[in-house]
Amino acid sequence: MKIGHIASNTFKESVREKVLYNLLLFALLMIASSLVLSEISIGQERKIIIDLGLSAVSLFGTMIAIFIGIGLVYKEIDKRTIYSLLAKPIHRWEFILGKYLGLLFTLLVNVAVMTAAIYAALFYLERGLQWSHGLILWAVLLIFFELALTTSLALMFSSFSTPLLSAAFTFFLWIIGHFNADLKHFGNLTESSFVSGLCDVLYYLLPNYGNFNIIQPVAHLEPVTASFVGTSVAYGLLYVALVLGCSLIIFQHRNFK
Amino acid sequence: MKVIELRDLTKDFQIGFFRKKPFRALDHLCLEVEEGEIFGFLGPNGAGKTTTLKILMRLLYPTSGSAWILERPISDVSVHARIGYLPESPYFYDYLTGEEFLSYCGRIFGFGPREVRRRTADLLDAVGIGDARLLPLRKYSKGMLQRIGVAQALINDPRVLFLDEPMSGLDPLGRREVREIILQQRQRGVTVFFSSHILPDVESLCDRVAILNRGRLVDCGKLTDILRMEITSLELVATNVAPPQSTQLERLALQANRLGERLHLRMADDGVVEQSLRLIREGKGKLISINPVRESLEDYFLKAMDQSDARDPGQGGTEKREAGS
């Protein structure tokens, strides 16, 4: 229950942040602009809307996760609000999980609003919706897990570092995570066993954001297998659990000077 | 019953970035506080007062030693349901209103919505900010933040109250209100442990005090035992004394201040006072008052600090004080 109260307060904190509305507005503008772009792409209208729309959900969701996530714990320590909170009967792990779930709920609401905008754009274009458009929800589900992973990384860095460094570390991992498959490919090509081994270690150690990206097949309304989605979700849950575990260990041992 | 017990509590910090140097913010501190006491925790900046409170609140881990609150180790989270804590210079969630903030604190303690509403309304009125309950905390003045801080520390009807500099930032009226709240809590049987720089407040409120310097306990005991109640000097005030006699009076005094025609003199004993009275008569002056001067907590505190510094000179005291505060 205490986790729920901390999460609800974190949600309240996030929805009172101006940056959230700015990012959401940009995302909605980007989705709306896909309608204009689709006008000049003959026969590709639907693809453009889904492609641009889902990319906006992923990109702006990531920005929200990073911008708000990096301040989640740091602000509590910097502004010393954590002092009166941790003196109350709560465990430090409850605090971390509460903060994480609070931001996740904020992201869920934002993703829901952006997804509704994509469907509204599709409805406007095709004068109705089809069952095949339901595929978009699979892509949104995986984007949400991608955001959950990014949030957990931002939270981990924010539990021991400054917002600027936390943003840099998270963004760095987000970039690398999108090229993780190339790392494996590079390892296979190289003749050095050391470099190949190193690439293998990094491939498994660093987050693989490729597992969550099904925007292209969904934009073409190609079927996506449930096993792929299930495996990606399981991967996301496991990675988030590991990252949150690290955050808890770091936070548990912190001294608040 | 020992409500707070510290045994050899020690805290070392590492200072410096590349070449880290250890320094001791708290040095084998032993302390016991009995049930129902108002206990004052005194010391200059960096003496280790806030460090001690932070260890008790689980915000810092001690390097060695142990501490108990209500006969439970401080690591036991359940004991924190029965205590209240006001941090030094409190800062709370500025996006919440006073009412929302207290409700949040109440819910953390597991109270239901109706109970939270009742406690929130009562406490906001008790600390005198009931009218500002719907105002975001970012619009609160320093004094109002201190009051909401006291309110959040009382939301769970604590058995032990820890207050870190509760009077700082308050105007005289606010200080009087906090003093009254502390006394009300004592009447309810609450043990109050508070650190303060404002010695008259400590003197008027506390049953016992502990004095800390450079992380070490300098003295601890009942105020009546610590402060010698005997008369240390006599303060004499006279006016319109003619110049030759007034100059002689100033020479006789331990300490003399002239305010216009008025002379404030601190005399060592009755014999000097007799001599002074004669001089006032001779100088055609008028005696306003003679008052005995007893040792105040401030006198004692300054003396204790001097003795402690003399026993332990150097040791990078300033550095320690700044880092440990």
Side-chain angles (χ1 to χ4, degrees), chain A residues 142-164:
Chain A
L142 291 192
I143 289 172
F144 183 70
F145 274 91
E146 175 189 343
L147 299 180
L149 174 53
T150 307
T151 307
S152 69
L153 290 170
L155 179 79
M156 181 180 76
F157 291 126
S158 121
S159 63
F160 67 88
S161 177
T162 61
L164 198 66

Side-chain angles (χ1 to χ4, degrees), chain A residues 16 86 88 92 252 255, chain B residues 54 58-59 61 95 152:
Chain A
R16 291 179 190 181
L86 286 187
K88 293 182 170 46
R92 289 191 179 189
Q252 188 65 36
N255 276 305
Chain B
K54 281 185 177 175
R58 303 177 300 152
L59 295 167
Y61 293 107
Y95 52 89
Q152 62 84 32

Side-chain angles (χ1 to χ4, degrees), chain A residues 47-63:
Chain A
K47 181 189 169 298
I48 293 279
I49 286 175
I50 298 175
D51 201 343
L52 263 178
L54 288 175
S55 300
V57 177
S58 170
L59 186 68
F60 287 95
T62 300
M63 286 163 91

